[in-house]
Amino acid sequence: MTDIKIVLRDFSKRFNEDLEKYFSFPEGAEKRVIDAMHYSLTIGGKRLRPFLLCECANLFGVEYQTALPAAVSLEMLHTYSLIHDDLPAMDNDDLRRGQPTCHKKFDEATAILAGDGLLTYAFEVLSNALEIKPAQRLALVQLLSSAAGSFGGMVAGQTLDLYARSTGDKSSDEAIISRLEEMKTGRLLRYACEAGAVLGQANEQSRRILVDYSRKVGQAFQIADDILDQEGNQELVGKTLHKDDNQNKFTFVKYYGTDKARKLAIKLIDEAIEQISVFGEKSENLKSLARYIIERNY
Amino acid sequence: MTDIKIVLRDFSKRFNEDLEKYFSFPEGAEKRVIDAMHYSLTIGGKRLRPFLLCECANLFGVEYQTALPAAVSLEMLHTYSLIHDDLPAMDNDDLRRGQPTCHKKFDEATAILAGDGLLTYAFEVLSNALEIKPAQRLALVQLLSSAAGSFGGMVAGQTLDLYARSTGDKSSDEAIISRLEEMKTGRLLRYACEAGAVLGQANEQSRRILVDYSRKVGQAFQIADDILDQEGNQELVGKTLHKDDNQNKFTFVKYYGTDKARKLAIKLIDEAIEQISVFGEKSENLKSLARYIIERNY
Protein backbone atom coordinates (compact mmCIF):
# COMPACT_ATOMS: atom_id res chain seq x y z
CA MET A 1 0.00 0.00 0.00
CA THR A 2 0.94 3.62 -0.57
CA ASP A 3 2.53 5.58 2.25
CA ILE A 4 -0.62 7.50 2.92
CA LYS A 5 1.03 9.94 5.31
CA ILE A 6 3.19 11.28 2.52
CA VAL A 7 0.31 11.36 0.07
CA LEU A 8 -1.84 13.24 2.61
CA ARG A 9 0.99 15.64 3.43
CA ASP A 10 1.52 16.46 -0.24
CA PHE A 11 -2.19 16.85 -0.79
CA SER A 12 -2.51 19.16 2.21
CA LYS A 13 0.36 21.29 1.02
CA ARG A 14 -1.17 21.78 -2.40
CA PHE A 15 -4.68 22.23 -1.01
CA ASN A 16 -3.53 24.80 1.55
CA GLU A 17 -1.86 26.83 -1.16
CA ASP A 18 -4.98 26.72 -3.32
CA LEU A 19 -7.14 27.70 -0.36
CA GLU A 20 -5.40 31.07 -0.21
CA LYS A 21 -6.83 31.98 -3.61
CA TYR A 22 -10.27 32.04 -2.08
CA PHE A 23 -9.32 34.81 0.31
CA SER A 24 -8.94 38.53 0.06
CA PHE A 25 -8.68 40.89 2.99
CA PRO A 26 -10.71 44.10 2.91
CA GLU A 27 -9.45 47.27 4.53
CA GLY A 28 -12.48 48.07 6.69
CA ALA A 29 -13.35 46.76 10.14
CA GLU A 30 -15.03 43.77 8.48
CA LYS A 31 -11.54 42.40 7.89
CA ARG A 32 -11.81 41.03 11.41
CA VAL A 33 -14.28 38.32 10.43
CA ILE A 34 -12.26 37.36 7.35
CA ASP A 35 -9.13 37.11 9.52
CA ALA A 36 -10.98 34.82 11.90
CA MET A 37 -12.34 32.63 9.08
CA HIS A 38 -8.87 32.39 7.57
CA TYR A 39 -7.28 31.69 10.96
CA SER A 40 -9.50 28.74 11.75
CA LEU A 41 -9.26 27.39 8.24
CA THR A 42 -5.48 27.44 8.24
CA ILE A 43 -4.36 26.49 11.78
CA GLY A 44 -4.02 22.90 10.74
CA GLY A 45 -6.41 20.16 9.95
CA LYS A 46 -5.63 16.94 8.18
CA ARG A 47 -7.78 17.90 5.17
CA LEU A 48 -9.31 14.43 5.28
CA ARG A 49 -12.63 15.52 3.83
CA PRO A 50 -11.19 17.40 0.84
CA PHE A 51 -8.80 14.51 0.22
CA LEU A 52 -11.65 12.02 0.33
CA LEU A 53 -13.68 14.13 -2.08
CA CYS A 54 -10.82 14.53 -4.55
CA GLU A 55 -9.90 10.83 -4.35
CA CYS A 56 -13.48 9.72 -4.95
CA ALA A 57 -13.77 12.09 -7.91
CA ASN A 58 -10.47 10.73 -9.19
CA LEU A 59 -11.94 7.21 -9.30
CA PHE A 60 -13.98 8.47 -12.26
CA GLY A 61 -11.18 10.40 -13.89
CA VAL A 62 -12.12 13.83 -12.50
CA GLU A 63 -9.04 15.98 -12.03
CA TYR A 64 -7.99 17.70 -8.83
CA GLN A 65 -8.55 21.18 -10.29
CA THR A 66 -12.18 20.36 -11.10
CA ALA A 67 -12.91 18.86 -7.69
CA LEU A 68 -11.00 21.61 -5.84
CA PRO A 69 -13.82 24.16 -5.31
CA ALA A 70 -16.10 21.42 -3.99
CA ALA A 71 -13.30 20.28 -1.67
CA VAL A 72 -12.65 23.85 -0.53
CA SER A 73 -16.31 24.49 0.21
CA LEU A 74 -16.53 21.24 2.17
CA GLU A 75 -13.51 22.16 4.31
CA MET A 76 -15.04 25.60 4.93
CA LEU A 77 -18.26 24.04 6.07
CA HIS A 78 -16.42 21.56 8.28
CA THR A 79 -14.38 24.38 9.82
CA TYR A 80 -17.49 26.43 10.57
CA SER A 81 -18.83 23.46 12.53
CA LEU A 82 -15.63 23.23 14.57
CA ILE A 83 -15.69 26.96 15.37
CA HIS A 84 -19.28 26.85 16.57
CA ASP A 85 -18.85 23.55 18.44
CA ASP A 86 -15.91 25.04 20.34
CA LEU A 87 -17.93 28.07 21.56
CA PRO A 88 -18.40 28.53 25.32
CA ALA A 89 -22.13 27.81 25.01
CA MET A 90 -21.36 24.52 23.24
CA ASP A 91 -18.28 22.40 24.05
CA ASN A 92 -16.39 25.36 25.54
CA ASP A 93 -13.01 24.39 24.17
CA ASP A 94 -9.88 26.54 24.30
CA LEU A 95 -7.69 24.38 22.10
CA ARG A 96 -8.12 23.11 18.57
CA ARG A 97 -5.36 21.62 16.49
CA GLY A 98 -2.91 22.70 19.17
CA GLN A 99 -3.86 26.37 18.78
CA PRO A 100 -6.29 28.69 20.53
CA THR A 101 -9.84 28.18 19.29
CA CYS A 102 -11.39 30.99 17.26
CA HIS A 103 -13.23 32.61 20.19
CA LYS A 104 -10.04 32.48 22.27
CA LYS A 105 -7.90 34.01 19.53
CA PHE A 106 -10.52 36.64 18.66
CA ASP A 107 -13.68 36.79 20.74
CA GLU A 108 -17.03 35.08 20.93
CA ALA A 109 -18.94 37.41 18.62
CA THR A 110 -16.23 37.19 15.99
CA ALA A 111 -16.19 33.39 16.25
CA ILE A 112 -19.96 33.18 15.77
CA LEU A 113 -19.67 35.45 12.74
CA ALA A 114 -16.65 33.59 11.36
CA GLY A 115 -18.64 30.36 11.52
CA ASP A 116 -21.61 31.99 9.84
CA GLY A 117 -19.27 33.47 7.25
CA LEU A 118 -17.62 30.14 6.44
CA LEU A 119 -20.95 28.32 6.19
CA THR A 120 -22.25 30.97 3.83
CA TYR A 121 -19.01 31.16 1.85
CA ALA A 122 -19.09 27.39 1.38
CA PHE A 123 -22.27 27.77 -0.64
CA GLU A 124 -20.93 30.79 -2.47
CA VAL A 125 -17.75 29.01 -3.52
CA LEU A 126 -19.64 25.90 -4.54
CA SER A 127 -22.38 27.62 -6.51
CA ASN A 128 -19.88 29.82 -8.35
CA ALA A 129 -17.38 27.10 -9.25
CA LEU A 130 -16.98 27.52 -13.00
CA GLU A 131 -14.89 24.34 -13.08
CA ILE A 132 -18.05 22.35 -12.31
CA LYS A 133 -21.05 22.02 -14.62
CA PRO A 134 -24.10 24.03 -13.45
CA ALA A 135 -26.31 20.96 -12.98
CA GLN A 136 -23.63 19.32 -10.83
CA ARG A 137 -23.16 22.47 -8.78
CA LEU A 138 -26.86 22.53 -8.01
CA ALA A 139 -26.81 18.82 -7.11
CA LEU A 140 -23.86 19.45 -4.78
CA VAL A 141 -25.59 22.40 -3.07
CA GLN A 142 -28.59 20.13 -2.48
CA LEU A 143 -26.46 17.34 -1.04
CA LEU A 144 -24.27 19.60 1.08
CA SER A 145 -27.11 21.60 2.59
CA SER A 146 -28.93 18.41 3.47
CA ALA A 147 -25.81 16.79 4.97
CA ALA A 148 -25.05 19.87 7.07
CA GLY A 149 -28.58 20.66 8.14
CA SER A 150 -30.88 20.21 11.09
CA PHE A 151 -33.16 17.61 9.49
CA GLY A 152 -30.97 14.55 9.97
CA GLY A 153 -27.71 16.33 9.17
CA MET A 154 -24.78 17.76 11.08
CA VAL A 155 -26.73 20.39 13.03
CA ALA A 156 -29.12 17.67 14.18
CA GLY A 157 -26.10 15.56 15.20
CA GLN A 158 -24.63 18.36 17.28
CA THR A 159 -28.03 18.91 18.89
CA LEU A 160 -28.16 15.25 19.87
CA ASP A 161 -24.60 15.45 21.14
CA LEU A 162 -25.61 18.29 23.45
CA TYR A 163 -29.08 17.17 24.50
CA ALA A 164 -29.45 13.41 24.10
CA ARG A 165 -29.32 11.60 27.40
CA SER A 166 -29.18 7.93 28.27
CA THR A 167 -32.55 6.22 28.21
CA GLY A 168 -31.32 3.59 30.65
CA ASP A 169 -32.02 0.98 28.02
CA LYS A 170 -28.92 -0.49 26.37
CA SER A 171 -30.32 -1.05 22.89
CA SER A 172 -32.08 2.32 22.74
CA ASP A 173 -28.84 3.98 23.80
CA GLU A 174 -26.92 2.16 21.09
CA ALA A 175 -29.43 3.39 18.49
CA ILE A 176 -29.02 6.96 19.73
CA ILE A 177 -25.22 6.79 19.58
CA SER A 178 -25.36 5.43 16.03
CA ARG A 179 -27.72 8.12 14.89
CA LEU A 180 -25.73 10.83 16.66
CA GLU A 181 -22.45 9.86 15.03
CA GLU A 182 -24.01 9.22 11.66
CA MET A 183 -25.45 12.74 11.66
CA LYS A 184 -22.65 14.61 13.39
CA THR A 185 -19.68 13.28 11.43
CA GLY A 186 -21.05 10.62 9.09
CA ARG A 187 -23.11 12.85 6.85
CA LEU A 188 -20.23 15.13 5.85
CA LEU A 189 -17.93 12.18 5.15
CA ARG A 190 -20.68 10.66 3.08
CA TYR A 191 -21.06 13.97 1.27
CA ALA A 192 -17.33 13.96 0.48
CA CYS A 193 -17.69 10.59 -1.23
CA GLU A 194 -21.01 11.33 -2.91
CA ALA A 195 -19.68 14.62 -4.23
CA GLY A 196 -16.92 12.65 -5.93
CA ALA A 197 -19.58 10.43 -7.50
CA VAL A 198 -21.61 13.45 -8.65
CA LEU A 199 -18.55 15.09 -10.18
CA GLY A 200 -17.65 11.83 -11.88
CA GLN A 201 -21.22 11.19 -13.05
CA ALA A 202 -20.93 7.78 -11.47
CA ASN A 203 -23.68 5.22 -11.85
CA GLU A 204 -25.95 4.25 -8.97
CA GLN A 205 -23.95 1.15 -8.07
CA SER A 206 -20.63 2.99 -7.82
CA ARG A 207 -22.29 5.66 -5.77
CA ARG A 208 -23.71 3.10 -3.37
CA ILE A 209 -20.29 1.55 -2.89
CA LEU A 210 -18.83 4.96 -2.05
CA VAL A 211 -21.65 5.74 0.36
CA ASP A 212 -21.07 2.43 2.08
CA TYR A 213 -17.32 3.06 2.21
CA SER A 214 -17.94 6.48 3.79
CA ARG A 215 -20.28 5.03 6.36
CA LYS A 216 -17.82 2.39 7.47
CA VAL A 217 -14.80 4.64 7.40
CA GLY A 218 -16.80 7.32 9.21
CA GLN A 219 -17.84 5.02 12.00
CA ALA A 220 -14.30 3.70 12.39
CA PHE A 221 -12.99 7.26 12.35
CA GLN A 222 -15.32 8.22 15.17
CA ILE A 223 -14.33 5.22 17.24
CA ALA A 224 -10.66 6.02 16.67
CA ASP A 225 -11.34 9.61 17.74
CA ASP A 226 -13.04 8.46 20.91
CA ILE A 227 -10.18 6.07 21.68
CA LEU A 228 -7.73 8.94 21.16
CA ASP A 229 -9.83 11.00 23.54
CA GLN A 230 -9.35 8.27 26.15
CA GLU A 231 -5.79 7.18 25.43
CA GLY A 232 -4.15 9.75 23.17
CA ASN A 233 -1.23 12.05 23.77
CA GLN A 234 -2.69 15.54 24.18
CA GLU A 235 0.28 17.24 22.54
CA LEU A 236 0.05 15.06 19.43
CA VAL A 237 -3.73 15.19 19.18
CA GLY A 238 -3.74 18.96 19.61
CA LYS A 239 -7.06 19.32 21.36
CA THR A 240 -8.35 18.94 24.89
CA LEU A 241 -8.67 15.24 25.69
CA HIS A 242 -10.92 13.35 28.12
CA LYS A 243 -13.77 15.67 27.26
CA ASP A 244 -16.02 12.68 26.89
CA ASP A 245 -15.50 11.82 30.55
CA ASN A 246 -16.41 15.25 31.80
CA GLN A 247 -19.52 15.88 29.87
CA ASN A 248 -21.51 12.71 30.17
CA LYS A 249 -21.32 12.19 26.44
CA PHE A 250 -22.49 9.26 24.43
CA THR A 251 -19.72 7.37 22.66
CA PHE A 252 -19.23 3.84 21.35
CA VAL A 253 -16.06 3.53 23.37
CA LYS A 254 -17.87 4.21 26.61
CA TYR A 255 -20.59 1.91 25.58
CA TYR A 256 -18.56 -1.09 24.38
CA GLY A 257 -15.25 -0.45 26.11
CA THR A 258 -12.02 0.34 24.24
CA ASP A 259 -11.20 -3.22 23.16
CA LYS A 260 -14.52 -4.09 21.66
CA ALA A 261 -14.75 -0.69 20.00
CA ARG A 262 -11.30 -1.10 18.47
CA LYS A 263 -12.26 -4.53 17.10
CA LEU A 264 -15.41 -3.10 15.59
CA ALA A 265 -13.39 -0.34 13.93
CA ILE A 266 -10.97 -2.86 12.42
CA LYS A 267 -13.83 -4.95 11.09
CA LEU A 268 -15.45 -1.89 9.49
CA ILE A 269 -12.20 -0.84 7.85
CA ASP A 270 -11.54 -4.33 6.47
CA GLU A 271 -14.97 -4.35 4.87
CA ALA A 272 -14.57 -0.85 3.48
CA ILE A 273 -11.22 -1.75 1.90
CA GLU A 274 -12.63 -4.86 0.33
CA GLN A 275 -15.59 -3.04 -1.16
CA ILE A 276 -13.63 -0.10 -2.54
CA SER A 277 -11.24 -2.48 -4.30
CA VAL A 278 -13.68 -2.89 -7.18
CA PHE A 279 -12.34 0.42 -8.48
CA GLY A 280 -8.94 -1.16 -9.03
CA GLU A 281 -5.67 0.74 -8.98
CA LYS A 282 -7.30 4.12 -8.59
CA SER A 283 -8.63 3.09 -5.18
CA GLU A 284 -5.16 2.59 -3.63
CA ASN A 285 -5.22 5.89 -1.75
CA LEU A 286 -8.72 5.29 -0.45
CA LYS A 287 -7.67 1.89 0.81
CA SER A 288 -4.59 3.28 2.54
CA LEU A 289 -6.63 6.11 3.98
CA ALA A 290 -9.09 3.69 5.53
CA ARG A 291 -6.27 1.77 7.16
CA TYR A 292 -4.57 4.96 8.33
CA ILE A 293 -7.70 6.21 10.04
CA ILE A 294 -7.57 3.54 12.72
CA GLU A 295 -3.79 3.50 12.99
CA ARG A 296 -3.13 7.22 13.44
CA ASN A 297 -2.17 8.47 16.87
CA TYR A 298 -3.30 12.09 16.41
CA MET B 1 -52.88 53.80 -3.27
CA THR B 2 -53.68 50.35 -1.96
CA ASP B 3 -54.14 49.86 1.75
CA ILE B 4 -50.81 48.18 2.14
CA LYS B 5 -51.42 47.12 5.73
CA ILE B 6 -54.28 44.88 4.62
CA VAL B 7 -52.30 43.56 1.66
CA LEU B 8 -49.36 42.78 3.92
CA ARG B 9 -51.56 41.18 6.55
CA ASP B 10 -53.19 38.92 3.95
CA PHE B 11 -49.82 38.07 2.47
CA SER B 12 -48.39 37.22 5.90
CA LYS B 13 -51.33 35.02 6.73
CA ARG B 14 -50.93 33.01 3.53
CA PHE B 15 -47.14 32.94 3.80
CA ASN B 16 -47.24 31.79 7.43
CA GLU B 17 -49.52 28.92 6.52
CA ASP B 18 -47.26 27.89 3.66
CA LEU B 19 -44.22 28.11 5.91
CA GLU B 20 -45.56 25.26 8.02
CA LYS B 21 -45.22 22.90 5.06
CA TYR B 22 -41.46 23.24 5.32
CA PHE B 23 -41.41 21.84 8.82
CA SER B 24 -41.60 18.42 10.33
CA PHE B 25 -40.74 17.54 13.89
CA PRO B 26 -38.61 14.47 14.54
CA GLU B 27 -39.07 12.39 17.65
CA GLY B 28 -35.46 12.39 18.87
CA ALA B 29 -33.62 14.98 20.95
CA GLU B 30 -32.77 16.83 17.74
CA LYS B 31 -36.36 18.07 17.76
CA ARG B 32 -35.10 20.80 20.08
CA VAL B 33 -33.27 22.64 17.31
CA ILE B 34 -36.23 22.33 14.93
CA ASP B 35 -38.51 23.71 17.64
CA ALA B 36 -36.18 26.66 18.11
CA MET B 37 -35.95 27.33 14.36
CA HIS B 38 -39.72 27.15 14.08
CA TYR B 39 -40.21 29.34 17.15
CA SER B 40 -38.06 32.18 15.85
CA LEU B 41 -39.51 31.93 12.38
CA THR B 42 -43.10 32.15 13.60
CA ILE B 43 -43.10 34.57 16.55
CA GLY B 44 -44.00 37.41 14.25
CA GLY B 45 -42.18 39.36 11.65
CA LYS B 46 -43.72 41.56 9.03
CA ARG B 47 -42.58 39.24 6.19
CA LEU B 48 -41.35 42.31 4.32
CA ARG B 49 -38.58 40.46 2.50
CA PRO B 50 -40.76 37.60 1.25
CA PHE B 51 -43.41 40.12 0.25
CA LEU B 52 -40.87 42.20 -1.63
CA LEU B 53 -39.57 39.12 -3.42
CA CYS B 54 -43.02 37.93 -4.43
CA GLU B 55 -44.10 41.40 -5.54
CA CYS B 56 -40.97 41.90 -7.66
CA ALA B 57 -41.47 38.47 -9.25
CA ASN B 58 -45.10 39.39 -9.86
CA LEU B 59 -43.99 42.41 -11.93
CA PHE B 60 -42.90 39.87 -14.53
CA GLY B 61 -45.94 37.64 -14.21
CA VAL B 62 -44.36 35.07 -11.87
CA GLU B 63 -46.96 33.57 -9.58
CA TYR B 64 -46.81 33.46 -5.82
CA GLN B 65 -46.51 29.66 -5.74
CA THR B 66 -43.39 29.78 -7.91
CA ALA B 67 -41.75 32.53 -5.90
CA LEU B 68 -42.74 30.98 -2.57
CA PRO B 69 -39.73 28.71 -1.93
CA ALA B 70 -37.36 31.58 -2.69
CA ALA B 71 -39.34 33.80 -0.33
CA VAL B 72 -39.34 31.11 2.36
CA SER B 73 -35.60 30.59 2.13
CA LEU B 74 -35.00 34.33 2.32
CA GLU B 75 -37.12 34.64 5.48
CA MET B 76 -35.23 31.69 6.99
CA LEU B 77 -31.93 33.36 6.27
CA HIS B 78 -33.16 36.67 7.67
CA THR B 79 -34.40 34.93 10.82
CA TYR B 80 -31.06 33.18 11.36
CA SER B 81 -29.39 36.59 11.32
CA LEU B 82 -31.79 37.90 13.97
CA ILE B 83 -31.21 34.87 16.21
CA HIS B 84 -27.43 35.22 16.05
CA ASP B 85 -27.50 39.03 16.35
CA ASP B 86 -29.56 38.72 19.53
CA LEU B 87 -27.06 36.36 21.21
CA PRO B 88 -25.38 37.51 24.44
CA ALA B 89 -22.00 37.77 22.69
CA MET B 90 -23.52 40.03 20.02
CA ASP B 91 -26.35 42.49 20.79
CA ASN B 92 -27.45 40.58 23.91
CA ASP B 93 -31.14 41.13 23.41
CA ASP B 94 -33.91 39.50 25.44
CA LEU B 95 -36.83 40.65 23.35
CA ARG B 96 -37.66 40.25 19.68
CA ARG B 97 -41.06 40.91 18.16
CA GLY B 98 -42.41 41.27 21.67
CA GLN B 99 -41.36 37.73 22.58
CA PRO B 100 -38.33 36.19 24.30
CA THR B 101 -35.42 35.88 21.89
CA CYS B 102 -34.38 32.37 20.88
CA HIS B 103 -31.60 32.01 23.46
CA LYS B 104 -33.95 33.25 26.19
CA LYS B 105 -36.74 30.87 25.20
CA PHE B 106 -34.35 27.94 24.75
CA ASP B 107 -30.68 28.44 25.58
CA GLU B 108 -27.57 29.81 23.95
CA ALA B 109 -26.33 26.59 22.38
CA THR B 110 -29.75 25.87 20.91
CA ALA B 111 -29.98 29.42 19.54
CA ILE B 112 -26.60 29.12 17.84
CA LEU B 113 -27.65 25.80 16.33
CA ALA B 114 -31.08 27.12 15.33
CA GLY B 115 -29.38 29.96 13.46
CA ASP B 116 -26.99 27.54 11.79
CA GLY B 117 -29.91 25.28 10.97
CA LEU B 118 -31.97 28.06 9.39
CA LEU B 119 -29.04 29.35 7.35
CA THR B 120 -28.37 25.85 6.06
CA TYR B 121 -32.03 25.07 5.49
CA ALA B 122 -32.39 28.27 3.46
CA PHE B 123 -29.97 26.82 0.90
CA GLU B 124 -31.60 23.41 1.07
CA VAL B 125 -35.08 24.81 0.42
CA LEU B 126 -33.84 27.04 -2.36
CA SER B 127 -31.75 24.45 -4.18
CA ASN B 128 -34.54 21.86 -4.01
CA ALA B 129 -37.39 24.12 -5.14
CA LEU B 130 -38.93 22.17 -8.00
CA GLU B 131 -41.16 25.15 -8.77
CA ILE B 132 -38.07 27.05 -9.96
CA LYS B 133 -35.98 26.15 -13.00
CA PRO B 134 -32.59 24.61 -12.12
CA ALA B 135 -30.57 27.42 -13.73
CA GLN B 136 -32.55 30.00 -11.77
CA ARG B 137 -32.13 28.07 -8.55
CA LEU B 138 -28.37 28.08 -9.04
CA ALA B 139 -28.41 31.82 -9.82
CA LEU B 140 -30.40 32.45 -6.65
CA VAL B 141 -28.01 30.40 -4.51
CA GLN B 142 -25.16 32.48 -5.92
CA LEU B 143 -26.92 35.76 -5.21
CA LEU B 144 -28.15 34.78 -1.76
CA SER B 145 -24.82 33.42 -0.53
CA SER B 146 -23.07 36.55 -1.71
CA ALA B 147 -25.67 38.87 -0.15
CA ALA B 148 -25.49 37.04 3.18
CA GLY B 149 -21.75 36.55 3.31
CA SER B 150 -18.68 38.04 4.89
CA PHE B 151 -17.23 39.51 1.69
CA GLY B 152 -19.38 42.64 1.48
CA GLY B 153 -22.58 40.93 2.60
CA MET B 154 -24.64 40.68 5.76
CA VAL B 155 -21.99 39.00 7.92
CA ALA B 156 -19.56 41.78 6.99
CA GLY B 157 -22.24 44.32 7.90
CA GLN B 158 -22.78 42.78 11.32
CA THR B 159 -19.02 42.72 11.85
CA LEU B 160 -18.83 46.44 11.07
CA ASP B 161 -21.78 47.06 13.36
CA LEU B 162 -19.90 45.42 16.22
CA TYR B 163 -16.37 46.61 15.52
CA ALA B 164 -16.39 49.79 13.46
CA ARG B 165 -15.59 52.84 15.54
CA SER B 166 -15.73 56.53 14.75
CA THR B 167 -12.68 57.77 12.90
CA GLY B 168 -13.25 61.27 14.25
CA ASP B 169 -13.62 62.46 10.67
CA LYS B 170 -17.18 63.31 9.64
CA SER B 171 -17.02 62.22 6.03
CA SER B 172 -15.16 58.99 6.77
CA ASP B 173 -17.74 58.18 9.40
CA GLU B 174 -20.55 58.82 6.95
CA ALA B 175 -18.95 56.44 4.48
CA ILE B 176 -18.67 53.76 7.16
CA ILE B 177 -22.33 54.14 8.16
CA SER B 178 -23.42 53.86 4.54
CA ARG B 179 -21.35 50.77 3.97
CA LEU B 180 -22.48 49.21 7.24
CA GLU B 181 -26.17 49.65 6.49
CA GLU B 182 -25.82 48.68 2.86
CA MET B 183 -24.18 45.40 3.92
CA LYS B 184 -26.16 44.66 7.06
CA THR B 185 -29.68 45.23 5.77
CA GLY B 186 -29.33 46.53 2.22
CA ARG B 187 -27.92 43.42 0.62
CA LEU B 188 -30.79 41.13 1.65
CA LEU B 189 -33.40 43.65 0.53
CA ARG B 190 -31.56 43.94 -2.74
CA TYR B 191 -31.54 40.16 -2.99
CA ALA B 192 -35.32 40.10 -2.47
CA CYS B 193 -35.76 42.39 -5.48
CA GLU B 194 -33.10 40.76 -7.64
CA ALA B 195 -34.54 37.34 -6.92
CA GLY B 196 -37.83 38.59 -8.34
CA ALA B 197 -35.97 39.72 -11.44
CA VAL B 198 -34.20 36.36 -11.77
CA LEU B 199 -37.45 34.45 -11.41
CA GLY B 200 -39.08 36.75 -13.96
CA GLN B 201 -36.13 36.55 -16.35
CA ALA B 202 -36.15 40.33 -16.36
CA ASN B 203 -33.85 42.28 -18.66
CA GLU B 204 -30.84 44.20 -17.35
CA GLN B 205 -32.68 47.52 -17.27
CA SER B 206 -35.61 46.22 -15.23
CA ARG B 207 -33.20 44.55 -12.88
CA ARG B 208 -31.28 47.78 -12.40
CA ILE B 209 -34.47 49.64 -11.54
CA LEU B 210 -35.33 47.03 -8.93
CA VAL B 211 -31.85 47.14 -7.45
CA ASP B 212 -32.10 50.91 -7.20
CA TYR B 213 -35.56 50.67 -5.64
CA SER B 214 -34.23 48.21 -3.06
CA ARG B 215 -31.29 50.45 -2.23
CA LYS B 216 -33.46 53.48 -1.62
CA VAL B 217 -36.18 51.64 0.24
CA GLY B 218 -33.53 49.84 2.26
CA GLN B 219 -31.83 53.03 3.32
CA ALA B 220 -35.15 54.65 4.21
CA PHE B 221 -36.16 51.51 6.11
CA GLN B 222 -32.98 51.65 8.16
CA ILE B 223 -33.48 55.32 8.97
CA ALA B 224 -37.07 54.61 9.99
CA ASP B 225 -35.82 51.79 12.20
CA ASP B 226 -33.29 54.05 13.85
CA ILE B 227 -35.91 56.74 14.41
CA LEU B 228 -38.18 54.10 15.97
CA ASP B 229 -35.30 53.13 18.19
CA GLN B 230 -35.12 56.72 19.39
CA GLU B 231 -38.79 57.68 19.46
CA GLY B 232 -40.87 54.52 19.14
CA ASN B 233 -43.26 52.92 21.58
CA GLN B 234 -41.52 49.83 22.95
CA GLU B 235 -44.73 47.83 23.22
CA LEU B 236 -45.63 48.46 19.59
CA VAL B 237 -42.14 47.96 18.23
CA GLY B 238 -41.73 44.74 20.19
CA LYS B 239 -38.01 44.91 20.77
CA THR B 240 -35.70 46.67 23.18
CA LEU B 241 -35.40 50.31 22.18
CA HIS B 242 -32.65 52.87 22.73
CA LYS B 243 -30.07 50.20 22.10
CA ASP B 244 -28.29 52.55 19.77
CA ASP B 245 -27.65 54.94 22.67
CA ASN B 246 -26.16 52.29 24.91
CA GLN B 247 -23.80 50.68 22.55
CA ASN B 248 -22.01 53.50 20.83
CA LYS B 249 -23.43 52.41 17.51
CA PHE B 250 -23.16 54.13 14.21
CA THR B 251 -26.49 55.28 12.78
CA PHE B 252 -27.60 57.94 10.32
CA VAL B 253 -30.00 59.31 12.91
CA LYS B 254 -27.22 59.91 15.38
CA TYR B 255 -25.11 61.36 12.68
CA TYR B 256 -27.63 63.70 11.03
CA GLY B 257 -30.17 64.12 13.80
CA THR B 258 -33.74 62.85 13.57
CA ASP B 259 -35.14 65.67 11.40
CA LYS B 260 -32.53 65.60 8.70
CA ALA B 261 -32.59 61.79 8.66
CA ARG B 262 -36.38 61.76 8.29
CA LYS B 263 -36.16 64.20 5.37
CA LEU B 264 -33.55 62.04 3.69
CA ALA B 265 -35.80 59.01 4.09
CA ILE B 266 -38.76 60.81 2.52
CA LYS B 267 -36.61 61.90 -0.42
CA LEU B 268 -35.38 58.36 -0.99
CA ILE B 269 -38.90 56.95 -0.89
CA ASP B 270 -40.20 59.57 -3.35
CA GLU B 271 -37.46 58.66 -5.78
CA ALA B 272 -38.04 54.92 -5.35
CA ILE B 273 -41.76 55.31 -6.00
CA GLU B 274 -41.16 57.36 -9.12
CA GLN B 275 -38.69 54.83 -10.53
CA ILE B 276 -40.77 51.76 -9.83
CA SER B 277 -43.76 53.35 -11.59
CA VAL B 278 -42.40 52.30 -14.96
CA PHE B 279 -43.83 48.86 -14.25
CA GLY B 280 -47.35 50.31 -14.32
CA GLU B 281 -50.28 48.86 -12.43
CA LYS B 282 -48.38 45.85 -11.16
CA SER B 283 -46.11 48.14 -9.13
CA GLU B 284 -48.93 49.49 -6.94
CA ASN B 285 -48.05 47.32 -3.95
CA LEU B 286 -44.37 48.14 -4.22
CA LYS B 287 -45.21 51.85 -4.27
CA SER B 288 -47.47 51.53 -1.24
CA LEU B 289 -44.88 49.43 0.54
CA ALA B 290 -42.24 52.10 0.04
CA ARG B 291 -44.52 54.75 1.51
CA TYR B 292 -45.52 52.50 4.39
CA ILE B 293 -41.93 51.86 5.38
CA ILE B 294 -41.41 55.41 6.57
CA GLU B 295 -44.90 55.84 7.98
CA ARG B 296 -45.11 52.73 10.13
CA ASN B 297 -44.82 53.12 13.88
CA TYR B 298 -43.66 49.59 14.65
Side-chain angles (χ1 to χ4, degrees), chain A residues 35-84:
Chain A
D35 283 339
M37 289 160 66
H38 184 261
Y39 170 78
S40 286
L41 204 49
T42 57
I43 50 169
K46 296 179 283 292
R47 310 305 187 198
L48 278 183
R49 288 160 194 79
F51 181 72
L52 205 50
L53 190 153
C54 291
E55 283 296 325
C56 287
N58 179 57
L59 291 179
F60 310 98
V62 177
E63 287 183 5
Y64 168 82
Q65 284 300 339
T66 307
L68 177 64
V72 164
S73 79
L74 173 56
E75 190 69 1
M76 286 174 172
L77 198 137
H78 169 61
T79 304
Y80 121 74
S81 76
L82 301 182
I83 296 174
H84 280 190

Side-chain angles (χ1 to χ4, degrees), chain A residues 203-268:
Chain A
N203 61 30
E204 227 5 83
Q205 200 199 344
S206 298
R207 186 161 167 161
R208 267 202 301 273
I209 291 170
L210 288 180
V211 167
D212 208 41
Y213 169 88
S214 78
R215 203 177 53 76
K216 285 170 174 158
V217 167
Q219 219 178 325
F221 181 77
Q222 192 59 55
I223 292 171
D225 236 30
D226 294 342
I227 292 175
L228 281 176
D229 183 81
Q230 295 292 312
E231 302 182 348
N233 174 324
Q234 177 145 332
E235 235 167 273
L236 275 177
V237 180
K239 61 183 177 185
T240 315
L241 298 181
H242 303 289
K243 284 192 304 181
D244 296 343
D245 295 342
N246 311 333
Q247 293 175 19
N248 186 31
K249 291 219 169 180
F250 267 142
T251 77
F252 268 115
V253 172
K254 267 192 187 167
Y255 188 75
Y256 284 132
T258 308
D259 281 352
K260 201 173 165 194
R262 199 190 310 269
K263 273 179 200 150
L264 173 62
I266 292 169
K267 180 172 166 284
L268 289 164

